[in-house]
Amino acid sequence: MVLSNEDMVELAAFRRKLHRTPELSREEVQTARDVRAFLAPTRPDRIITGLGGHGIAAIYEGRAPGPTVMVRAELDGLPIEEISDLPHRSGVPGKAHLCGHDGHMAILAGLARVLGRQRPQRGRAILLFQPAEEDGSGAAAVVADPRFREISPDFAFALHNLPGLPLGHVALAEGPVNCASRGMRIVLNGKTAHASMPETGVSPVNVVAELMPALTALGRGGPMDEDFAMVTVTHVKIGEPAFGVAPARAEIWATLRTLTDAGMEDLCVSAEHLVLSAAREKGLSVEISHDDIFRHCENAPEAVAHLRRALDEEGVPHGEGELPLRASEDFGRFGQRAPAAMFFLGAGENHPSLHNPDYDFPDDLIGIGARVFMRTLRNLLG
């Protein structure tokens, strides 16, 4: 079964509709409704809605017992203003699909059309539209939902488009392919003072000045080996905008990044020890919290083998590219439940980068992504 020219026109139109109406993580109410409406004519044997928030799982049953194979796309957009003169540009100020999740959803919508016309011979194909990928909370919420036990995949697959890679080419490798990362929020509290007598208060200024380079120095960057670590200070706030007050409070936000989850545990310990030591020396109290927590993505060899076979059979050029990537991805959670693999589909060597304000998903990738997943499903499920 293949997608027709009419299918491709309608899938591109669906993708552009989604692009015009982006919603942020944990807010994907209308996006989920639009996806469900598009899937309805394919008559899934069951649709689970509200999964882990606004997630949707469409289940297509085979005629005989067999494995359960899950393919995942993401629902959410980004809090970035799109800069574009495209007719389908975002119609929501300050929000946009600048990571390609609209295109990933269109690829799964194409799979749904094929599965609606011809069910698998055995097992189950499950199309998961995951909420809240961008803030790292969605996959954990989906897995924690009691209804995820009804899915329990034997294999999990996903893709992400990748600007910088030639259009339609694929990067695929075994082992870690996306870094673990998390946001570390540091709040330092002291005591205000008159700006003419700062010595009568406890200011966090010197500690902030010390911590910014010290935190960054914890991550050496460099080659993407098992010791890779990076710390990026992303936001700093000290006191209030007043000339007469020496500040009492400061915040530092930093993103911690490592190749593996084990490396992240070590980096967190080092960062927290550094912060607590510096604060105690200056008489400051400290609050540390973590947000946007992403596990590293590990491609299982057996899952990669299925994708490589599909790529070869579909004639899609592929290699290891420059994997692993520094960027994080919420798909890693599913790899802790079943053999999983993600491949990266080239969006063009000169295409705007992910999260750039002028990025747009190339519609030419919809058919390629759908073909690879469809071949993978047919090889596993018949």
Side-chain angles (χ1 to χ4, degrees), residues 45-117:
D45 295 287
R46 187 177 175 206
I47 290 187
I48 302 174
T49 60
L51 187 64
H54 301 299
I56 294 175
I59 302 172
Y60 298 84
E61 299 277 358
R63 295 186 294 273
T68 295
V69 182
M70 185 182 81
V71 184
R72 185 219 66 165
E74 317 93 319
L75 292 167
D76 51 344
L78 287 160
I80 302 173
E81 187 74 30
E82 183 173 7
I83 300 173
S84 169
D85 57 2
L86 296 169
H88 59 273
R89 65 185 175 274
S90 172
V92 185
K95 301 177 185 180
H97 273 297
L98 300 175
C99 202
H101 294 179
D102 51 343
H104 303 167
M105 285 185 274
I107 288 169
L108 260 64
L111 284 183
R113 287 214 163 171
V114 176
L115 290 167
R117 294 165 187 159

Side-chain angles (χ1 to χ4, degrees), residues 157-181:
F157 297 103
L159 65 73
H160 207 293
N161 76 94
L162 187 60
L165 192 66
L167 185 72
H169 287 231
V170 162
L172 175 65
E174 297 176 5
V177 292
N178 287 98
C179 282
S181 73

Side-chain angles (χ1 to χ4, degrees), residues 227-284:
D227 296 323
F228 171 81
M230 175 178 286
V231 180
T232 306
V233 175
T234 62
H235 174 74
V236 176
K237 179 180 178 181
I238 304 175
E240 301 302 326
F243 290 110
V245 181
R249 188 178 189 277
E251 281 192 36
I252 304 173
W253 293 18
T255 300
L256 281 56
R257 193 175 305 277
T258 58
L259 184 65
T260 65
D261 297 333
M264 180 58 67
E265 292 179 15
D266 293 340
L267 183 58
C268 284
V269 169
S270 297
E272 291 186 7
H273 176 74
L274 177 69
V275 170
L276 292 170
S277 297
R280 275 196 295 264
E281 186 178 336
K282 300 297 184 183
L284 297 162

Side-chain angles (χ1 to χ4, degrees), residues 156-158 172 299 302-312 318 340-343 372-373 376:
F157 297 103
L172 175 65
N299 273 0
E302 58 266 49
V304 169
H306 288 297
L307 287 177
R308 282 187 177 140
R309 177 185 172 188
L311 291 164
D312 288 338
H318 63 92
M342 168 179 282
F343 69 92
V372 175
F373 283 139
T376 303

